[in-house]
Amino acid sequence: MSNLGFTGTRETEGSELKLRNYLESADMLMYLRRFDTYVTGGCRGWDALVGEYLRLKFPPPVAYHVVVIPANKSQVDPWWEKFDVGTVDLVYMPDGTDYRDRNEAIVQRVEQVFYCADYPEQHVKSKRSGTWMTKRIAESQGVPVSGIILNKETT
């Protein structure tokens, strides 16, 4: 079994078509087909967009889908409720955990991480980015990382 984790921006409004087209590109589809388990973070934005896309494109038994839901549910988008119960494995983080704990839980479940960042890592708007935090957690644990950046501006 080969597991791919996802992390990304919560700000996808206006970029949905671009992101769906990216996911549908031949290179990305070839990349995604290398995995049989997808792990996402359960929040609005990229988590919801990629989670729902993957569940539709690679339904069980083609792939297994895991959503790691943070204890703080204020940013959660329950996209999985559109599907039959049991076709998405829900992992609820315990009370008292934070988004870093959720991000670490995603990385612990995968062999690779794919990110969708809003801005480059050193950009002022990325200062408190959970996407970049997850990327750094993965790198510190030797988990290969790749991804895309929506806005390439550097300041």
Side-chain angles (χ1 to χ4, degrees), residues 123-142:
H123 192 282
V124 66
K125 292 182 179 179
S126 295
K127 197 170 244 182
R128 294 178 28 88
S129 168
T131 301
W132 293 116
M133 175 200 298
T134 306
K135 175 186 174 278
R136 289 188 298 273
I137 291 168
E139 289 172 336
S140 73
Q141 295 180 17

Side-chain angles (χ1 to χ4, degrees), residues 4 6 16-33 38 40 43 45-60 62-65 67 77 79-80 82-83 88 114:
L4 177 61
F6 293 87
E16 293 95 341
L17 182 59
K18 176 182 176 181
L19 290 169
R20 288 183 201 285
N21 287 339
Y22 180 80
L23 290 168
E24 284 288 326
S25 69
D27 287 346
M28 189 62 178
L29 284 172
M30 197 163 63
Y31 173 70
L32 291 171
R33 285 187 179 110
Y38 304 112
T40 58
C43 287
W46 174 250
D47 285 352
L49 188 146
V50 75
E52 185 172 351
Y53 170 83
L54 292 167
R55 174 54 186 76
L56 287 167
K57 192 75 173 178
F58 305 103
V62 175
Y64 182 63
H65 301 270
V67 181
D77 177 345
W79 61 266
W80 54 86
K82 299 173 187 172
F83 300 98
V88 176
F114 187 89

Side-chain angles (χ1 to χ4, degrees), residues 72-132:
N72 176 350
K73 295 175 183 57
S74 65
Q75 299 296 315
V76 168
D77 177 345
W79 61 266
W80 54 86
E81 292 177 355
K82 299 173 187 172
F83 300 98
D84 293 337
V85 173
T87 62
V88 176
D89 185 19
L90 305 177
V91 177
Y92 292 92
M93 294 299 294
D95 289 342
T97 59
D98 58 19
Y99 282 102
R100 181 181 187 86
D101 297 320
R102 189 274 318 253
N103 296 341
E104 289 174 347
I106 292 170
V107 172
Q108 289 170 0
R109 288 173 163 75
V110 301
E111 284 85 40
Q112 289 188 40
V113 169
F114 187 89
Y115 65 85
C116 175
D118 208 5
Y119 293 93
E121 189 168 8
Q122 301 310 318
H123 192 282
V124 66
K125 292 182 179 179
S126 295
K127 197 170 244 182
R128 294 178 28 88
S129 168
T131 301
W132 293 116

Side-chain angles (χ1 to χ4, degrees), residues 26 34 39 86 100 145 148:
R34 294 175 24 208
V39 181
R100 181 181 187 86
V145 176
I148 59 171

